[in-house]
Amino acid sequence: MPASKRDQLLATAERLFYEQGFHATGIDRIVAAAGVVRMTLYNHFASKEALVAAVLQARHERFIASLDAAVACAPPGEATRALVEAHGQWLECNSQLGCIMVKAMGEFAEHSAEVHALAISAKRDLLARLEAAVARDGLERQDDLARRLFMVLEGSNTAVVLMGMQRALDDTRAVTDALLDTARSGTP
């Protein structure tokens, strides 16, 4: 079944925004690449900012669904590790150029409070998922474990660009394992 024009626009805009930047990607480039006319875009999105917000929301929903699915299938005591692995799989498949939310925070901090807030909310959502996974694994008594794991995952978002995917994922796993081992041993 062919994608709807709206879905086609979202997919095209996401790819272009991610590869070229939000401000560097114009509406004309998006509609040309999507094979639609400008009016089709504006029939679905009131503005470029509305398109950006829709792209970020759709991408975040896919990301969170992948994390939630991994955690739901995790054996007892392995929810946190499953979430970290799902994050790594997302990086491999969807984020070789770093995190689109971080890119949005940078480009929209002074240009759109709405888009900036959406990206911040996505990061808070990831932290909340980590807190829930840590609690599910019975490690919630470990002060700041979820926050430290969040820092590791956020670091891996940037490290893939600098160090390459495999090195970033290997180091993320090693640091995660060390943090979880320390938490399970009961030492702060």
Side-chain angles (χ1 to χ4, degrees), residues 87-149:
H87 180 272
Q89 289 171 358
W90 178 267
L91 287 178
E92 285 183 298
C93 296
N94 301 291
S95 292
Q96 300 86 2
L97 303 175
C99 178
I100 197 170
M101 296 299 172
V102 171
K103 292 175 185 220
M105 284 187 273
E107 286 196 46
F108 288 97
E110 296 186 20
H111 299 288
S112 171
E114 177 190 349
V115 172
H116 187 259
L118 183 65
I120 294 288
S121 177
K123 294 301 180 181
R124 286 188 179 124
D125 205 10
L126 173 58
L127 179 57
R129 291 305 198 283
L130 280 163
E131 290 167 345
V134 164
R136 180 175 164 181
D137 288 344
L139 300 171
E140 70 275 7
R141 294 176 315 281
Q142 296 298 316
D143 290 341
D144 305 321
L145 176 59
R147 191 189 81 239
R148 289 177 180 153
L149 290 165

Side-chain angles (χ1 to χ4, degrees), residues 163-175:
M163 300 181 340
M165 186 64 67
Q166 198 56 53
R167 168 74 48 93
L169 294 179
D170 289 348
D171 289 351
T172 297
R173 287 181 189 107
V175 174

